[in-house]
Amino acid sequence: MSEVLEQEAKAAPAHSARYTRNNPFYSTVTVNDLLTAEGSEKETRHVELTLDDGMTYTPGDAVGIIPENRPEAVEVVLKALGYKGDERVLDHYKVEISLEEALRTRLGIGKLARGCVTQFAKLAPDVDGLKALVGPENKPRAEEYCWGREFVDLVTDFPGVLKNPQELFNVLQRLTPRMYSIASSQAMHKDNVQTTVRVIRYESHGRERQGVASGHLGDRAGVGANMPIFLHANGNFRLPEDTSAPVIMIGPGTGIAPFRAFLEERQAQGAPGDNWLFFGEQRAALDFLYKDQLHEMRKNGVLTHLDTAFSRDQAKKVYVQDRMQEKAAELYRWLERGAYFYVCGDATRMAKDVELALLDVIAKGSNCTLEHANEYLAAMKKQKRYQRDVY
Ligand SMILES: Cc1cc2nc3c(=O)[nH]c(=O)nc-3n(C[C@H](O)[C@H](O)[C@H](O)COP(=O)(O)OP(=O)(O)OC[C@H]3O[C@@H](n4cnc5c(N)ncnc54)[C@H](O)[C@@H]3O)c2cc1C
Ligand SMILES: NC(=O)c1ccc[n+]([C@@H]2O[C@H](COP(=O)([O-])OP(=O)(O)OC[C@H]3O[C@@H](n4cnc5c(N)ncnc54)[C@H](OP(=O)(O)O)[C@@H]3O)[C@@H](O)[C@H]2O)c1
């Protein structure tokens, strides 16, 4: 079970039980705006979706989006397999649908998974090229093959393997929902849920690709479009119950999303606690997500401090953790005052580097060893004062 599914199974409270990934709410897109400016290397969007009566969320939660594969991607798969799309197949629940519908709404034809190659190879045990991609000894080669490829590349490289369209259900995984951190507070937006979505587009092996869900939101979810959604509670990412406790938020890129929700919530509550946000992106002029709202919050005092790190505005990269180091003494004073420390965004590099910087801030501030800093951080975790939502 994936971490997200596991969290969902553990954390789904009564409010979201009505609508689930298997029984989603058919929401309407009411806003779909580009946050990044022309010339940016990113395409990050602000998307607002309606909620049904009784659907409630808390800042820190996520919304699950159930995407469809884009028609062009379905078309190339059908063409590569030599099918028309009107062939009949039985879906996972044995309901008869067309092959086109199955490829658009039921099956994951996006990024290629090693498991899919393995299942596909079972249909053609004598094909040498496929044999070389199967089994633990061939894992690195299979991973290299899968990187940047989609199902269409597999069936193009190894034609004639599939004998009938129903076999696709044994080969392809289900099309799964994607999670997006909620970027709004329901105290301010009673009837909708807002998200910050980076649209994934790239070129590989001679084809234009896009992320399934982010591409759907980027290209085919204009105002008025329908989108099946469900709410996903995350009890491990929560504002302090004590509204006077200080809050430090590290949210580069789309990691800003839950902190916009936190700040809106603190504003709506009239919370007396201080709020400090570190935001990072590539360029101030192109990628400063929610700039006006954050400046307004800084002006009206909701944000006590706003520190930004625009990595590509100067020759040497500057990241959020560099800003943390510059403000080490004050950060430590906040921690000593009982501040809650939150991190959201990239799990692979950023979250690890931020943790190292935090340990350094603690070691310097307390004039102690790294070992002591680790104990200090462990105590913070225990008190739920160090929380991360990283992906
Ligand atoms: C709890 C949680 C919260 C999240 N919050 C947010 C959020 O607030 N905003 C947000 O934008 N995302 C968020 N995500 C990520 C989001 O769920 C999706 O994973 C993301 O949008 C990609 O989904 P997709 O369907 O568009 O792409 P997919 O179809 O799943 O494809 C993505 C895959 O494409 C491949 N890929 C990407 N770029 C390249 C490249 N250049 N070359 C080759 N291959 C490449 C990679 O394998 C990558 O994993 C969150 C994830 C979690 C788990
Ligand atoms: N699963 C998916 O496919 C998917 C989809 C969308 C987003 N994401 C992930 O979501 C996260 C957020 O993506 P995003 O595009 O919004 O922002 P991002 O890639 O995290 O970039 C935001 C800022 O962080 C900087 N950065 C890079 N490495 C860093 C590090 N080690 N420490 C601190 N800052 C660092 C970037 O600088 P430079 O770029 O100049 O180095 C940029 O200025 C990333 O992990 C991204 O891969 C994943």
Side-chain angles (χ1 to χ4, degrees):
M1 202 188 239
S2 79
E3 207 176 309
V4 173
L5 282 174
E6 216 167 346
Q7 276 176 16
E8 195 178 302
K10 275 190 209 148
H15 74 252
S16 63
R18 193 156 134 228
Y19 293 113
T20 61
R21 60 178 59 214
N22 293 322
N23 175 34
F25 172 61
Y26 283 80
S27 168
T28 304
V29 176
T30 52
V31 175
N32 189 337
D33 288 344
L34 193 59
L35 292 172
T36 41
E38 207 181 312
S40 169
E41 287 171 40
K42 304 271 180 87
E43 176 183 338
T44 305
R45 311 192 71 90
H46 175 76
V47 180
E48 300 189 5
L49 298 146
T50 57
L51 292 177
D52 197 13
D53 283 349
M55 283 177 90
T56 59
Y57 60 84
T58 303
D61 289 349
V63 56
I65 302 264
I66 300 179
E68 286 191 3
N69 288 305
R70 61 179 165 149
E72 297 83 350
V74 172
E75 197 55 49
V76 289
V77 170
L78 284 172
K79 202 166 159 215
L81 292 172
Y83 294 126
K84 290 200 302 228
D86 57 2
E87 296 79 1
R88 307 303 289 173
V89 289
L90 297 178
D91 75 1
H92 302 96
Y93 300 100
K94 307 291 172 223
V95 175
E96 192 182 298
I97 54 173
S98 74
L99 178 58
E100 185 278 332
E101 187 178 354
L103 290 171
R104 187 167 40 81
T105 67
R106 307 288 205 277
L107 298 167
I109 56 170
K111 60 176 180 172
L112 192 57
R114 204 158 60 87
C116 168
V117 177
T118 305
Q119 292 306 319
F120 188 72
K122 283 185 189 163
L123 301 175
D126 299 331
V127 176
D128 285 343
L130 274 174
K131 254 194 251 170
L133 296 173
V134 174
E137 67 285 9
N138 291 320
K139 190 175 169 206
R141 195 181 305 175
E143 276 172 356
E144 193 191 326
Y145 178 79
C146 287
W147 177 248
R149 285 192 169 86
E150 296 175 329
F151 183 60
V152 66
D153 301 291
L154 183 68
V155 293
T156 305
D157 289 347
F158 302 99
V161 170
L162 227 66
K163 297 292 174 260
N164 69 71
Q166 192 64 47
E167 285 179 333
L168 285 167
F169 280 84
N170 300 329
V171 170
L172 291 166
Q173 289 179 342
R174 282 181 190 221
L175 181 56
T176 50
R178 306 309 199 250
M179 294 296 166
Y180 293 92
S181 308
I182 292 175
S184 50
S185 155
Q186 215 168 7
M188 283 204 181
H189 314 277
K190 188 172 153 285
D191 302 323
N192 72 27
V193 62
Q194 308 183 0
T195 57
T196 314
V197 178
R198 185 182 120 204
V199 181
I200 295 181
R201 298 185 199 277
Y202 57 98
E203 205 254 7
S204 71
H205 304 285
R207 289 179 203 268
E208 295 290 328
R209 323 268 179 172
Q210 56 176 246
V212 172
S214 62
H216 188 166
L217 290 164
D219 288 351
R220 306 187 309 284
V223 171
N226 279 129
M227 184 62 73
I229 65 165
F230 59 95
L231 296 170
H232 165 72
N234 179 6
N236 294 322
F237 203 73
R238 287 283 183 260
L239 276 167
E241 274 171 30
D242 174 4
T243 56
S244 66
V247 163
I248 301 164
M249 296 159 280
I250 314 289
T254 50
I256 184 75
F259 301 136
R260 181 178 181 265
F262 276 17
L263 288 165
E264 286 193 351
E265 182 85 355
R266 298 268 275 190
Q267 181 167 4
Q269 287 172 335
D274 288 337
N275 300 303
W276 190 347
L277 174 68
F278 290 80
F279 172 70
E281 249 304 350
Q282 293 184 348
R283 295 175 183 86
L286 307 176
D287 308 305
F288 197 159
L289 311 180
Y290 303 113
K291 177 182 169 187
D292 293 345
Q293 188 178 6
L294 292 175
H295 278 159
E296 187 56 35
M297 284 175 164
R298 179 72 193 86
K299 233 171 37 194
N300 64 24
V302 173
L303 259 175
T304 317
H305 296 306
L306 171 61
D307 279 275
T308 52
F310 292 102
S311 51
R312 302 192 189 189
D313 274 348
Q314 59 286 305
K316 189 175 175 294
K317 289 222 175 163
V318 175
Y319 288 155
V320 280
Q321 60 270 27
D322 299 313
R323 298 293 185 229
M324 286 169 59
Q325 299 275 16
E326 286 163 17
K327 303 281 170 78
E330 189 171 5
L331 264 179
Y332 184 69
R333 279 197 297 275
W334 278 51
L335 295 179
E336 284 289 278
R337 281 170 53 208
Y340 282 60
F341 190 94
Y342 300 89
V343 186
C344 181
D346 172 37
T348 335
R349 295 164 307 155
M350 182 277 295
K352 292 182 182 128
D353 294 346
V354 164
E355 182 162 309
L356 289 177
L358 177 60
L359 286 168
D360 198 46
V361 163
I362 296 167
K364 274 188 193 135
S366 58
N367 214 2
C368 270
T369 58
L370 203 58
E371 200 187 338
H372 167 82
N374 271 305
E375 284 165 16
Y376 190 104
L377 195 61
M380 279 179 66
K381 275 186 204 161
K382 225 170 155 187
Q383 295 159 5
K384 298 197 186 307
R385 287 175 47 224
Y386 178 48
Q387 300 182 25
R388 305 198 306 176
D389 182 17
V390 294
Y391 45 89

